Amino acid sequence: MESEGDSGACGNWSTRGSNPQAGGVATTDTWKDLRPCINLKKLAFNNNDKIGLKTAQKDLDIAIKKARNKHRLDIENSFNAKNTKHLWDTMKKVTNMNSVKTQPTTMNSADKANELNKFFLRFDSHNAGHMADIDILNPGECSPCTELLNCDLVINTFRKVPNKKSAGPDGLTSFLYRNCSEELSEAWAPVFQKSIQSCEVPALWKNSVIIPIPKISSPQSGNDFRPIALTCIAMKCFEKIMIECLKEEVSPFLDNLQFAYKHGSSTADAVISASHLILKHLEAPNSYARVLFADFSSAFDTVQPAILVKKMLEMNVNPDMVKWFFSLLTDRTQQVKLNGTFSKRLSCNTGIPQGAVSSPLLFTLYTNSCQSSHTQNKIIKFSDDTIIISLLSVADNPSIYFDEVKHFNKWCEDHSLLLNTTKTKEIIFDPKGVTSHRPLAIGSSQIEAVNSIKYLGVWIDNQMKWTVHVDYLCGKLAQRLYFLRRLRLFGVSSKILITFYNAVLESLARYAMTARFGALSVKDKNKLCKQLNVALKICGCRDHRTLQVTYEETT
């Protein structure tokens, strides 16, 4: 599992104490079995009944042992059966995992759902463009998807639907598509063919249910929710087929510095590339770098379909396919589901629904033209996480950087992407203090220059020393050691403890290690390795390879 943010591999972990009389095993499920024994023990103690106290303690020890064995067997059986969902659910009970992201019970009214739906559509424009801009072009040849699409392709796509994929507005589950793929393909394949030939997406397939996912523990406003769209599974499968065709046509035109949604690329690649550019440049005398960490407001929700269509045509995408995607993004409808309550359905012509299969690639195409205008500047992107790196020296004109930022801001305005200047930050990498630096402003807003910032899960400081990130890692590792100790308390096998260690602790330390581990000081390396050695000792593992060995193997 990859550890890129605060929550790591398995969610938000916070310690929650157990009753010491319950031997540290009191969970929601076992407490009702242990409570009678604890009450008998208290009663015997209050009555000064030594024999009764001894008997009650013995019964409590037996009950605790049974509780531990029950959870241990649940974990081991789930592990052996490769039932990951039940495995993690049991681990949550054993470690008293406390899920932080919960919706307040007061936010369950239809009024609140309607309010959120209007908020999510606040950027919507009914003037989304017209198909006339596409129709005036020469008709495209037969779409490549028309020739490829057949019953066998539909069957294979249905069979690959994940077991836990949420059903869309039509209520048809993933179980149905996986187990009745051949029967359903006979009905759906002709419909898919007709949709491609007519360049139209049926209105029912463009309906979506928006699930507001809280970004923080106590959401108070619409900005505290992330709108995730649920569409019907048939539409997801159809989009998957269309996206594979689209990838083949646009792959030669994609920006090499966009690391999101690419096969074999991850956030670690973006961090490594940015770090390499900066560190290599700072080796030259009288050099410094300025980096702008841009933050967009609801980037996916502000995408303009008409602009996206023009960009696809510039990449020589088949016009019929372009029309199909334009139909997909316009005249959509959505309603918010909040605590079982549905809002009114509203129409939408702007934005790309988050959670849709095609959204990641379409957003990549939309921002593909966001590239640097000067050779000394680089724009590195991971989805909407965008940074502008300006590699300068004392002899260079600072306007190289300021003009690039101005050009970037103009590009954002032309593409209806809103920069959040409050969250947009700047770091100046000038460890030798070679020159003074003029403050940066975007429009009328002053951009704050900070000493460190968290970028794609890694803390970067203006000295490129990584000490801030190591302190952050050690804090997270110390927090997760508690849960490893809890699992050992329940007598979980060493094999499962090692799996937990690899997934939850070591993955956090290994993330983007190619960019930072070689540059760590001896003190920081020792501090990090000390935490991992404690974890390995808990697991009872003495021959596990060290971070240093792992780093040497990956470089």
Side-chain angles (χ1 to χ4, degrees), residues 60-235:
L60 180 59
D61 291 342
I62 295 173
I64 290 174
K65 187 175 181 181
K66 287 182 178 179
R68 285 177 178 170
N69 286 335
K70 178 180 180 296
H71 284 303
R72 177 182 60 80
L73 289 173
D74 279 348
I75 291 175
E76 292 181 352
N77 290 337
S78 299
F79 182 82
N80 294 330
K82 298 182 180 180
N83 187 344
T84 54
K85 183 180 186 303
H86 189 262
L87 174 64
W88 284 115
D89 287 344
T90 309
M91 282 188 172
K92 290 176 186 178
K93 296 176 184 177
V94 168
T95 58
N96 285 326
M97 176 182 173
N98 185 20
S99 180
V100 175
K101 294 185 178 181
T102 56
Q103 297 185 20
T105 55
T106 56
M107 301 176 67
N108 58 1
S109 65
D111 290 340
K112 185 61 183 179
N114 286 321
E115 179 185 335
L116 282 175
N117 201 19
K118 291 179 181 178
F119 179 82
F120 294 148
L121 295 177
R122 64 193 185 280
F123 301 111
D124 184 49
S125 171
H126 294 289
N127 183 22
H130 300 285
M131 292 300 297
D133 296 333
I134 307 172
D135 291 335
I136 59 175
L137 299 173
N138 293 327
E141 298 178 358
C142 181
S143 174
C145 291
T146 305
E147 300 176 357
L148 293 175
L149 199 149
N150 52 55
C151 282
D152 290 337
L153 177 60
V154 176
I155 289 173
N156 291 333
T157 306
F158 285 169
R159 285 177 177 172
K160 293 179 182 178
V161 175
N163 280 324
K164 303 300 179 182
K165 177 69 69 176
S166 299
D170 59 2
L172 298 181
T173 63
S174 59
F175 178 85
L176 179 65
Y177 282 93
R178 286 177 62 90
N179 293 277
C180 302
S181 56
E182 294 185 7
E183 292 80 1
L184 290 174
S185 65
E186 295 179 1
W188 284 120
V191 179
F192 291 170
Q193 285 278 9
K194 183 65 176 178
S195 176
I196 295 173
Q197 293 168 0
S198 64
C199 304
E200 289 286 339
V201 179
L204 288 176
W205 288 359
K206 295 192 284 185
N207 293 341
S208 62
V209 174
I210 305 298
I211 307 297
I213 305 299
K215 299 178 183 178
I216 58 176
S217 57
S218 300
Q220 301 297 327
S221 65
N223 276 323
D224 297 332
F225 292 92
R226 180 174 288 106
I228 302 300
L230 291 182
T231 55
C232 62
I233 294 178
M235 187 62 221

Side-chain angles (χ1 to χ4, degrees), residues 387-458:
I387 62 173
I388 300 175
I389 302 176
S390 191
L391 307 174
L392 305 169
S393 67
V394 176
D396 292 326
N397 190 336
S399 64
I400 293 174
Y401 172 62
F402 291 98
D403 289 346
E404 188 68 62
V405 173
K406 188 181 296 184
H407 176 264
F408 173 71
N409 186 42
K410 179 66 167 57
W411 182 92
C412 293
E413 292 175 353
D414 293 342
H415 291 75
S416 299
L417 292 175
L418 305 178
L419 272 177
N420 187 338
T421 53
T422 304
K423 292 184 178 180
T424 297
K425 307 294 181 184
E426 180 195 28
I427 290 186
I428 301 174
F429 297 91
D430 187 7
K432 299 177 184 178
V434 296
T435 185
S436 58
H437 305 283
R438 179 157 59 99
L440 173 67
I442 296 180
S444 59
S445 301
Q446 195 78 18
I447 301 302
E448 181 185 3
V450 295
N451 294 326
S452 61
I453 193 170
K454 191 177 183 183
Y455 172 63
L456 298 176
V458 175

Side-chain angles (χ1 to χ4, degrees), residues 246 250 253-255 258 261 296 298-312 314-315 329 350-352 358-371 381 383-384 411-418:
L246 180 60
V250 301
F253 302 93
L254 295 180
D255 183 8
Q258 168 62 274
Y261 320 123
F296 294 108
S298 304
F300 277 69
D301 297 333
T302 57
V303 170
Q304 300 295 319
I307 297 176
L308 175 61
V309 159
K310 294 178 181 178
K311 292 184 176 296
M312 293 172 71
E314 291 171 359
M315 298 180 189
L329 297 178
T350 302
I352 301 175
S358 58
S359 296
L361 180 59
L362 294 180
F363 186 80
T364 299
L365 300 182
Y366 192 76
T367 59
N368 192 63
S369 61
C370 180
Q371 299 181 21
K381 296 170 285 185
S383 187
D384 60 335
W411 182 92
C412 293
E413 292 175 353
D414 293 342
H415 291 75
S416 299
L417 292 175
L418 305 178

